[in-house]
């Protein structure tokens, strides 16, 4: 961690409730992840002043773009699941993907008949989407993107909200650019529901501080949406181990001979996979009282 970090930081109040009373929950990469004493939001405080370049303080950032492209199959699997959801709303229309990265999801949405636009602040990733996939992408922060009001039928934001500097403004802006009846798809972890040290350690390095500036609970996300005119229609909790043992994740897994054999067996015998996932979930959810999961929420503009 750079010694300059302290000099280039700002101290903020809670983005959700304006509270000033927060306590340190976790320290990672020299930054405090604090919990609001009033509403429970987890946020980095103090935090790096600018979103430009702060990610370099996170060790995960090394060769980020290269890694992103390498991991493309993971994002393609995620894109497929997201597409199924979005296609269930309408067959085409104007779609915006916030934080579209290299355009993996937008490419798929275009194939499915959607008129696609993306926003991506990382220039290298955005260039990839524009030059290689000929997608329509604005290279900027979503909060500076200034789309016309009531433009989109669908807005998606996968694993984005943790990085956003002002979540409340994010939801207000999303509601503004959605057409009446248009929908938002958002997914993220449930960090703010993690209270026990043990559970926090399941995530361990994955807090991604300070690259991830906020962690939410399901309830807080609903309240953020509702107070900005987005009505929650659907809210799913996907347990950690269901994700780890999903078919797509298993296919990508590379490991020792023994683990590879186990992987092949799990893929070949679906009931075996179901049994393993159930056992793991029972172990962690019932015995270890872990509720680490992924939140997947759909909200409609009122
Ligand atoms: Zn708060």
């Amino acid at each position: 961690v750079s010694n300059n970090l302290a000099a280039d930081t700002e101290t903020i109040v809670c983005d959700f409730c304006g509270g000033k009373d927060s306590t340190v929950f976790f320290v990672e990469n020299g930054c405090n992840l604090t919990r609001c004493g009033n509403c429970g939001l987890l946020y980095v405080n103090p935090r790096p002043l600018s979103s430009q370049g702060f990610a370099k303080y996170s060790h995960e950032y090394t060769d980020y773009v290269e890694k992103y492209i390498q991991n493309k199959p993971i994002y393609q699997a995620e894109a497929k699941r997201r597409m199924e959801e979005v296609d269930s709303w309408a067959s085409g229309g104007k779609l915006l993907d916030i934080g579209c990265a290299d355009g993996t999801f937008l490419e798929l949405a275009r194939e499915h008949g959607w008129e696609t636009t993306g926003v991506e602040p990382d220039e290298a990733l955005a260039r990839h989407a524009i030059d290689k996939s000929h997608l329509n992408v604005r290279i900027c922060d979503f909060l500076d993107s200034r789309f016309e009001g009531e433009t989109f039928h669908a807005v998606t934001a996968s694993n984005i909200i943790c990085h956003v500097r002002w979540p409340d403004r994010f939801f207000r802006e999303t509601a503004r650019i959605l057409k009446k009846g248009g929908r938002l798809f958002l997914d993220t972890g449930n960090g703010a529901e993690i209270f026990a040290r043990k559970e926090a350690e399941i995530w361990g390095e994955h807090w991604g501080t300070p690259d991830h500036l906020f962690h939410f609970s399901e309830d807080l996300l609903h309240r953020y949406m509702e107070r900005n005119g987005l009505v929650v229609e659907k809210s799913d909790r996907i347990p950690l181990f269901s994700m780890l043992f999903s078919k797509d994740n298993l296919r990508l897994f590379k490991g020792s001979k023994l683990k590879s054999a186990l992987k092949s067996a799990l893929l070949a015998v679906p009931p075996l996979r179901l049994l393993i996932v159930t056992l793991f979930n029972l172990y962690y959810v019932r015995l270890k009282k872990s509720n680490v999961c992924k939140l997947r929420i759909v909200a409609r503009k009122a």
Side-chain angles (χ1 to χ4, degrees):
V1 173
S2 162
N3 290 329
N4 295 330
L5 196 57
D8 305 329
T9 57
E10 62 178 346
T11 301
I12 58 165
V13 297
C14 174
D15 180 76
F16 183 77
C17 73
K20 291 176 186 166
D21 160 36
S22 66
T23 51
V24 176
F25 171 65
F26 214 89
V27 179
E28 191 179 67
N29 294 324
C31 289
N32 293 339
L33 184 59
T34 63
R35 187 191 296 281
C36 175
N38 182 40
C39 73
L41 183 68
L42 282 182
Y43 60 104
V44 177
N45 202 26
R47 66 182 185 179
L49 260 180
S50 129
S51 57
Q52 292 305 312
F54 77 82
K56 70 178 182 244
Y57 293 109
S58 159
H59 57 89
E60 285 177 30
Y61 195 72
T62 327
D63 301 323
Y64 183 67
V65 174
E66 207 175 296
K67 247 178 157 173
Y68 194 95
I69 308 293
Q70 266 175 22
N71 287 336
K72 191 148 171 131
I74 295 178
Y75 301 108
Q76 280 169 327
E78 185 282 322
K80 235 169 54 189
R81 282 192 295 271
R82 202 189 329 172
M83 196 73 254
E84 270 170 37
E85 174 60 42
V86 172
D87 278 341
S88 77
W89 307 342
S91 47
K94 287 191 174 175
L95 178 147
L96 173 71
D97 188 25
I98 302 172
C100 67
D102 71 335
T104 301
F105 175 69
L106 287 177
E107 270 184 277
L108 184 63
R110 185 172 56 188
E111 280 170 30
H112 282 231
W114 289 83
E115 193 184 318
T116 57
T117 305
V119 187
E120 173 54 55
D122 185 292
E123 188 159 356
L125 283 171
R127 278 272 147 238
H128 202 273
I130 296 165
D131 299 338
K132 299 235 160 92
S133 307
H134 311 289
L135 288 159
N136 173 23
V137 174
R138 286 191 187 176
I139 308 175
C140 64
D141 193 290
F142 170 61
L143 294 179
D144 302 323
S145 60
R146 298 172 183 278
F147 288 102
E148 250 181 73
E150 309 204 4
T151 297
F152 297 100
H153 300 92
V155 172
T156 66
S158 180
N159 291 317
I160 294 305
I161 195 69
C162 281
H163 303 276
V164 169
R165 291 187 75 77
W166 306 104
D168 196 51
R169 279 182 55 202
F170 171 94
F171 288 108
R172 207 180 316 144
E173 183 62 8
T174 303
R176 188 185 68 80
I177 62 171
L178 270 171
K179 285 184 188 288
K180 235 181 169 194
R183 288 183 175 87
L184 165 69
F185 170 102
L186 178 141
D187 65 14
T188 187
N190 67 333
E193 293 172 32
I194 313 299
F195 292 96
R197 189 83 203 168
K198 273 219 146 138
E199 241 182 317
E201 279 160 8
I202 292 180
W203 275 19
E205 295 297 303
H206 299 284
W207 290 102
T209 308
D211 197 10
H212 292 159
L213 294 168
F214 294 92
H215 295 276
F216 306 83
S217 64
E218 189 176 19
D219 177 57
L220 269 181
L221 284 172
H222 290 183
R223 289 159 68 195
Y224 259 123
M225 289 176 184
E226 302 274 349
R227 79 181 184 186
N228 282 295
L230 299 163
V231 180
V232 175
E233 282 191 329
K234 206 169 171 182
S235 194
D236 294 321
R237 300 170 69 88
I238 298 111
L240 186 68
F241 287 96
S242 304
M243 281 191 289
L244 289 181
F245 285 94
S246 72
K247 271 190 231 159
D248 294 316
N249 262 351
L250 275 175
R251 284 199 188 101
L252 292 168
F253 177 81
K254 290 187 186 80
S256 65
K257 268 190 181 166
L258 182 69
K259 284 181 182 164
S260 293
L262 184 65
K263 162 193 142 174
S264 306
L266 289 176
L267 277 173
V269 191
L272 186 61
R273 192 168 63 86
L274 191 68
L275 178 73
I276 296 284
V277 171
T278 308
L279 287 177
F280 261 104
N281 279 334
L282 276 177
Y283 177 67
Y284 276 95
V285 180
R286 292 289 143 86
L287 252 65
K288 295 252 181 183
K289 304 258 180 258
S290 166
N291 69 350
V292 176
C293 69
K294 178 141 202 160
L295 304 170
R296 204 177 281 163
I297 304 175
V298 173
R300 181 176 40 84
K301 183 177 174 180

